[in-house]
Amino acid sequence: MIENFENAKIDDWLIFDELDKNLSWKGPSDWSLKKEGIEGVGLYQGANLWGDPTDTIPIGSIIIYSKLKWSDFILEADALTKDNDSMGIVWRFKDLTEHYRFITLQSNLDGGESGPWRKLEVRLGRGKGEKLPFYETIKTEKGKSYTPGTLTHWKLEVRGNTFSVEVDGKKACLGKIIDTRNLVISVSQSLLSREYFLIIYW
């Protein structure tokens, strides 16, 4: 499937904003389809949802394509932001409390690990995934993120229980094949079955 958004409808996507009680800069998000920086039409998020009140974890808004499901897949996407916060990709999404993500951070965090960095993380489900730290980190690549105002290209490959990520044609630290079954036992089995694909921005 190739999505250039020329004939897309925003109603084909489902939006999940982090709960206000978990956010420092609260919603709602402002998702739309428009021409903004990337050639042609793209998904655009214009609100500044940001982080938890202690400024420990980057969280915000998620948008998910609702019309198709995948199990094994390769996703390639161009991303661009002029902001210096964070953005990334989410997959194996059940809800806000259960999913995996590749997340890049450019800025500093007052209460957490300051950027720049890239991480592969899993949100821990009902209970643990509803309170700090929300996520368990699987892999970290320090010193690398995106450049505000510069287009970046991501490639995510999911095969069974392994994930790999490339950034601008180069394997990221997270590109190493990872078997998540042995990493986080608190994640429900639903995360190991059907796939939803989505992109997440803050």
Side-chain angles (χ1 to χ4, degrees):
M1 173 184 172
I2 298 175
E3 178 60 89
N4 59 15
F5 300 108
E6 294 294 339
N7 298 310
K9 299 177 181 178
I10 196 65
D11 291 342
D12 292 341
W13 299 76
L14 300 177
I15 297 168
F16 297 84
D17 289 349
E18 189 65 51
L19 298 178
D20 278 354
K21 68 177 183 178
N22 293 335
L23 289 170
S24 176
W25 293 78
K26 305 183 188 306
S29 58
D30 181 24
W31 288 96
S32 61
L33 294 168
K34 61 189 295 187
K35 292 184 178 180
E36 185 73 23
I38 295 178
E39 182 178 351
V41 178
L43 275 172
Y44 177 81
Q45 204 291 106
N48 194 31
L49 284 75
W50 173 250
D52 70 282
T54 66
D55 202 28
T56 300
I57 300 293
I59 50 178
S61 181
I62 295 172
I63 191 166
I64 177 171
Y65 188 67
S66 63
K67 298 300 182 180
L68 290 173
K69 296 180 181 180
W70 296 267
S71 52
D72 293 352
F73 64 89
I74 296 175
L75 162 69
E76 295 194 53
D78 292 324
L80 175 69
T81 180
K82 297 177 182 178
D83 204 352
N84 65 344
D85 292 330
S86 65
M87 60 180 181
I89 309 170
V90 175
W91 67 99
R92 286 192 169 163
F93 182 88
K94 181 180 179 182
D95 56 32
L96 277 175
T97 71
E98 294 193 27
H99 54 263
Y100 290 86
R101 72 176 184 177
F102 166 70
I103 182 74
T104 65
L105 177 76
Q106 179 59 239
S107 59
N108 292 328
L109 295 172
D110 292 337
E113 183 180 354
S114 292
W117 49 248
R118 302 169 180 158
K119 291 187 178 184
L120 178 64
E121 298 185 320
V122 59
R123 194 147 176 178
L124 299 172
R126 296 291 179 182
K128 289 185 177 180
E130 296 176 296
K131 58 186 178 182
L132 283 170
F134 300 112
Y135 291 89
E136 179 167 324
T137 299
I138 299 171
K139 288 285 184 179
T140 300
E141 184 180 23
K142 295 183 179 181
K144 293 186 178 181
S145 184
Y146 63 90
T147 301
T150 300
L151 191 72
T152 187
H153 185 81
W154 295 325
K155 180 179 179 180
L156 166 68
E157 183 170 357
V158 177
R159 301 291 181 192
N161 294 309
T162 61
F163 322 128
S164 61
V165 178
E166 292 182 6
V167 177
D168 295 327
K170 298 179 180 179
K171 283 192 174 183
C173 173
L174 310 179
K176 184 178 180 181
I177 298 299
I178 299 166
D179 186 349
T180 58
R181 291 172 299 182
N182 298 323
L183 290 174
V184 183
I185 60 174
S186 60
V187 176
S188 72
Q189 185 63 31
S190 63
L191 287 178
L192 301 178
S193 54
R194 297 293 291 179
E195 299 280 355
Y196 287 92
F197 148 63
L198 57 115
I199 300 176
I200 181 171
Y201 295 87
W202 285 277

